[in-house]
Amino acid sequence: MNTAENIYQEIQDFTEHLTLEVLHVVEFLRSKNQFSINQKLEQKTQHGIDQAIDD
């Protein structure tokens, strides 16, 4: 059983309210991860621009 399946099994008996809280945590983590990816991309882009200007 993979991690996603384990999580699914663990929350089967949660109330709707608790399940919604789990969803909010998942959405937060997804947003946080996307923000981090965007920051890294912006840094690499800026680094490329800086190198092009220096050349």
Side-chain angles (χ1 to χ4, degrees), residues 35-46:
F35 178 76
S36 177
I37 291 169
N38 288 345
Q39 274 190 318
K40 288 176 185 175
L41 181 60
E42 286 178 20
Q43 288 172 347
K44 288 182 179 186
T45 301
Q46 187 60 50

Side-chain angles (χ1 to χ4, degrees), residues 7-23:
I7 293 168
Y8 180 75
Q9 288 299 318
E10 289 294 325
I11 66 170
Q12 285 300 297
D13 59 349
F14 278 17
T15 63
E16 181 66 21
H17 178 75
L18 285 176
T19 305
L20 189 56
E21 285 190 46
V22 171
L23 177 60

